Amino acid sequence: KIGTVVETGQCGNNLTYSLVINGINSEGKDTYDLIIEGFGDMYNYLPEIEFDEESNSWHACNTAPWGDKYKYILTLKMSNKITSIGAYAFNGCCNLMGQLKLPDNLKRIESGAFQRCQSLTGSLSIPDGTTYVGAYSFEDCSGLDGELVLPDELEYIGDAAFWDCSGLKGELIIPSKITMIEGHVFQNC
């Protein structure tokens, strides 16, 4: 039933998540809103590697608590008091739709956080105050079709952070406080 909370739990010392049914897809499977409330840093999640027969390739599998439903998460609502998005937290959430609204108080986006979220669209604006964007953070977010806006405070961009974000357009301004841009960051953009 739409609006039913089907799962809750911890995703940080002071962060909780809820999965809420928001509809049914064409296969008859429930689809979800993922709501993260609280404050502070999210936990990091080490990915498991699996072979995807559909794409005939190996990739990192989502091990976050909502990982068994990652293909059915359509919307993400995050508290503005989140300061770090955990490594591989939303990896492979390929049906996560629309423009991504990152928390206002964000300081770090850990490795692989939004890797392979191909249904995200619009511009991507990393919030002011963010200093770190980890490796593969937005790799293969090919649906992003607007500008990439980096904050003035950004100091580090990890390897392949925006690899295959092929729909991004507009002028890219590299902040003056950047001390390290790793390899392949903007490859295929």
Side-chain angles (χ1 to χ4, degrees), residues 86-189:
Y88 298 93
F90 308 107
N91 172 50
C93 290
C94 56
N95 292 308
L96 185 58
M97 298 186 302
Q99 187 160 348
L100 181 62
K101 168 69 172 99
L102 294 168
D104 292 340
N105 290 316
L106 195 61
K107 303 294 179 219
R108 295 176 63 91
I109 301 171
E110 300 296 344
S111 296
F114 294 96
Q115 186 179 37
R116 296 183 308 113
C117 292
Q118 296 102 335
S119 295
L120 291 173
T121 59
S123 295
L124 177 60
S125 183
I126 309 293
D128 289 338
T130 304
T131 60
Y132 181 93
V133 175
Y136 311 105
S137 295
F138 296 94
E139 178 195 12
D140 196 18
C141 289
S142 53
L144 292 171
D145 55 3
E147 287 188 314
L148 173 61
V149 180
L150 302 174
D152 291 338
E153 297 84 356
L154 190 62
E155 298 172 2
Y156 177 87
I157 304 175
D159 191 53
F162 300 99
W163 181 312
D164 273 339
C165 291
S166 53
L168 290 174
K169 52 186 128 194
E171 183 180 9
L172 177 64
I173 299 171
I174 303 296
S176 61
K177 291 187 180 178
I178 286 278
T179 57
M180 178 63 72
I181 296 177
E182 299 288 354
H184 310 288
V185 168
F186 301 108
Q187 186 160 335
N188 297 335
C189 288

Side-chain angles (χ1 to χ4, degrees), residues 23-117:
I24 297 174
N25 70 10
S26 61
E27 301 167 353
K29 305 247 184 200
D30 288 337
T31 58
Y32 304 96
D33 295 324
L34 175 58
I35 301 167
I36 300 178
E37 299 177 302
F39 63 94
D41 295 347
M42 287 181 69
Y43 295 143
N44 291 314
Y45 302 98
L46 295 176
E48 294 177 2
I49 305 301
E50 71 176 24
F51 187 75
D52 180 17
E53 292 183 19
E54 188 176 312
S55 66
N56 196 33
S57 63
W58 292 91
H59 63 84
C61 180
N62 192 309
T63 60
W66 46 83
D68 61 331
K69 296 175 178 68
Y70 73 98
K71 289 184 179 178
Y72 306 106
I73 296 171
L74 303 184
T75 64
L76 173 62
K77 299 172 185 166
M78 294 183 281
S79 163
N80 272 325
K81 296 178 183 176
I82 293 173
T83 53
S84 175
I85 295 177
Y88 298 93
F90 308 107
N91 172 50
C93 290
C94 56
N95 292 308
L96 185 58
M97 298 186 302
Q99 187 160 348
L100 181 62
K101 168 69 172 99
L102 294 168
D104 292 340
N105 290 316
L106 195 61
K107 303 294 179 219
R108 295 176 63 91
I109 301 171
E110 300 296 344
S111 296
F114 294 96
Q115 186 179 37
R116 296 183 308 113
C117 292

Side-chain angles (χ1 to χ4, degrees), residues 5-18:
V5 176
V6 295
E7 187 177 315
T8 62
Q10 290 289 130
C11 58
N13 290 341
N14 298 297
L15 292 169
T16 59
Y17 75 92
S18 301

